[in-house]
Amino acid sequence: MKTEKGAASLLANALGIVLGTTEIPLRVRAWDGSEAGPPEAPVLEFRSRRALRRILWSPGQLGLSRAYVAGDIDAPGDIFAAFAALSSVGKFSEPGPFRPLTPRELATLVSTAVRLGALGPNPAPPPEEAKVTRKGRLHTRKRDAAAISHHYDVGNDFYVLVLGPSMVYSCAVWADGPGGGTPAERGLPAGLDDAQKAKLDLVCRKLGLKPGMRVLDVGCGWGSFALHAAQHYGVSVVGVTLSTEQAVLARKRAADAGLTENIDIRVQDYRDIADGPFDAISSIGMSEHVGREQTPHYVDVLHGLLRPGGRLLNHAISWNAGPIKPDPDSFIPRYVFPDGEMVSLGEMVSALETGGFEVLDVEALRQHYALTLRAWVRRLEENWDEAVRLTSLGRARVWRLYMASSALGFETGITGVNQVLVQRAGGDGPPLRRSDWI
């Protein structure tokens, strides 16, 4: 066992100050080889003094995130175990912005940095941090396009590695019980494609798709829903995305499947669609990019694009932690989804009802998303060297941290994901029993 003396003991104390706890359930390993903390706990490794300097300048989730992305700290074992331990105590266990350090805490942190030779200027953020400005009006067309590009235009080959052949970047629907066992028993990556097909088919059934229908897919990604709906339900699909790279691959996939006459993929803002009405609309993992203030307008636009009696399925992540809002300067908005904003399920349902829709069905898929994210993490780790080659080491580390932390968020219930099925007034109503039409 490594000695408790050396940099690790001081780093553990400094980490405790930042987290707001005296009990850190982590084994801290320092650049000098020293270790401190419970011997059997997950390891958090400080690889350089710059890690402490980043935390000193940004004493919270942002500083720790920058240090991880830059490779200044690492979780060399099980990242799920390390992050679960970190998020179970102190300020990390509380949703929302970190409470600022007191003057006394800050002074102690500075003193620790001096003793360890870590004092110095604020290190530049890793290049993977979003360049989207924090100033100005949110969710303009230009700003939304820049935010989407930051996340999605990192290379289609990278997403193929992580998502697998299905190329579906949203919650899968996993089966269990007789006829296959649990996802864990089948092996998550091995069962991922079947689980994604099950989700796509579930959406098609909820929308009541029939041959000849014209369907709008808002935020179409790489065209997976459009392909499934056209191939298996005989509909024509208009898919819109703000990502040029997504559109290029989606069009190629449609062409390879011989479906160019049935699938029209556009680089277009949903607010600019002018060729409705549509018989049905799917919005799968898109409304998180809309923002709270724009949600009523989003609902109005989709209502206007849908024919009377048509159905809309809104599949979206929800914020389940109550009135406390996520920290806009935390890891996810800085590195993953700039300007992204989750609303609660209640807010979404209220907006849809206020916008003139009748709610037909609500289904929670929170646990399914945790399984999906764990499958993506495993695929990323199995293809790590290739993922780094296709993007950068920092980008691969961003995705590893983002997907692992998100999985834990779904497992603890801070976040959820829900499919809300609604219908515009007019036309025929759905069958009387849910089991007859889902």
Side-chain angles (χ1 to χ4, degrees), residues 198-418:
K199 187 275 295 298
L200 295 176
D201 205 66
L202 178 64
V203 174
C204 291
R205 298 198 310 273
K206 286 182 176 181
L207 289 173
L209 299 188
K210 295 179 176 61
M213 281 187 169
R214 186 166 183 255
V215 180
L216 173 64
D217 187 20
V218 184
C220 66
W222 294 272
S224 297
F225 171 78
L227 286 164
H228 187 89
Q231 286 175 328
H232 299 285
Y233 287 83
V235 301
S236 63
V237 185
V238 173
V240 297
T241 175
L242 294 178
S243 167
T244 300
E245 290 197 25
Q246 282 187 333
V248 168
L249 182 55
R251 289 166 185 156
K252 181 180 185 302
R253 295 176 75 196
D256 290 346
L259 292 168
T260 52
E261 297 298 318
N262 305 84
I263 297 174
D264 176 16
I265 301 296
R266 309 171 183 172
V267 179
Q268 185 178 35
D269 193 293
Y270 75 96
R271 291 165 287 196
D272 296 330
I273 300 170
D275 57 338
F278 295 88
D279 298 302
I281 299 176
S282 63
S283 177
I284 306 172
M286 182 271 180
S287 63
E288 299 92 328
H289 299 289
V290 170
R292 179 175 278 103
E293 290 187 2
Q294 286 291 317
T295 294
H297 182 59
Y298 161 79
V299 171
D300 287 344
V301 169
L302 298 190
H303 186 275
L305 290 170
L306 191 62
R307 68 163 176 80
R311 299 178 193 173
L312 158 69
L313 185 132
N314 193 80
H315 174 122
I317 298 171
S318 63
W319 178 249
N320 291 353
I324 300 174
K325 296 181 180 180
D327 183 359
D329 286 323
S330 59
F331 169 68
I332 294 293
R334 284 295 190 110
Y335 283 89
V336 186
F337 293 114
D339 294 342
E341 189 174 9
M342 298 175 288
V343 301
S344 70
L345 173 60
E347 288 177 287
M348 180 56 69
V349 170
S350 177
L352 289 165
E353 288 187 321
T354 301
F357 287 107
E358 176 190 1
V359 176
L360 301 181
D361 185 73
V362 177
E363 183 173 7
L365 298 171
R366 175 179 64 82
Q367 292 172 301
H368 292 263
Y369 217 163
L371 291 170
T372 304
L373 284 155
R374 282 183 176 268
W376 289 342
V377 170
R378 193 176 301 178
R379 284 188 58 87
L380 174 62
E381 291 178 340
E382 289 172 350
N383 297 280
W384 184 259
D385 291 343
E386 181 66 4
V388 171
R389 186 189 70 81
L390 290 171
T391 54
S392 67
L393 178 58
R395 181 67 65 188
R397 291 174 71 85
V398 166
W399 252 246
R400 183 173 183 246
L401 179 58
Y402 135 60
M403 293 189 298
S405 61
S406 295
L408 293 168
F410 285 107
E411 288 169 357
T412 59
I414 292 176
T415 49
V417 62
N418 307 283

Side-chain angles (χ1 to χ4, degrees), residues 32-154:
D32 64 356
S34 63
E35 295 186 3
E40 303 303 321
V43 173
L44 187 68
E45 183 177 20
F46 283 71
R47 292 179 166 179
S48 74
R49 291 173 174 81
R50 189 172 56 185
L52 180 57
R53 191 182 307 162
R54 290 187 187 277
I55 294 170
L56 176 62
W57 280 96
S58 300
Q61 188 184 117
L62 182 59
L64 287 165
S65 300
R66 284 173 168 169
Y68 178 82
V69 173
D72 298 326
I73 63 172
D74 199 12
D78 183 349
I79 191 172
F80 289 102
F83 193 83
L86 190 66
S87 61
S88 67
V89 295
K91 299 175 185 179
F92 254 87
S93 66
E94 304 167 2
F98 263 52
R99 289 177 282 107
L101 298 181
T102 67
R104 182 176 180 179
E105 289 172 333
L106 185 58
T108 303
L109 205 58
V110 170
S111 176
T112 299
V114 170
R115 291 182 63 182
L116 293 176
L119 204 62
N122 189 6
E128 292 77 16
E129 192 163 311
K131 302 300 189 295
V132 177
T133 178
R134 310 295 295 177
K135 300 178 181 179
R137 188 161 63 91
L138 290 171
H139 300 296
T140 62
R141 285 166 173 76
K142 181 178 180 180
R143 182 160 172 162
D144 279 352
I148 292 298
S149 179
H150 169 82
H151 186 81
Y152 293 100
D153 291 341
V154 298

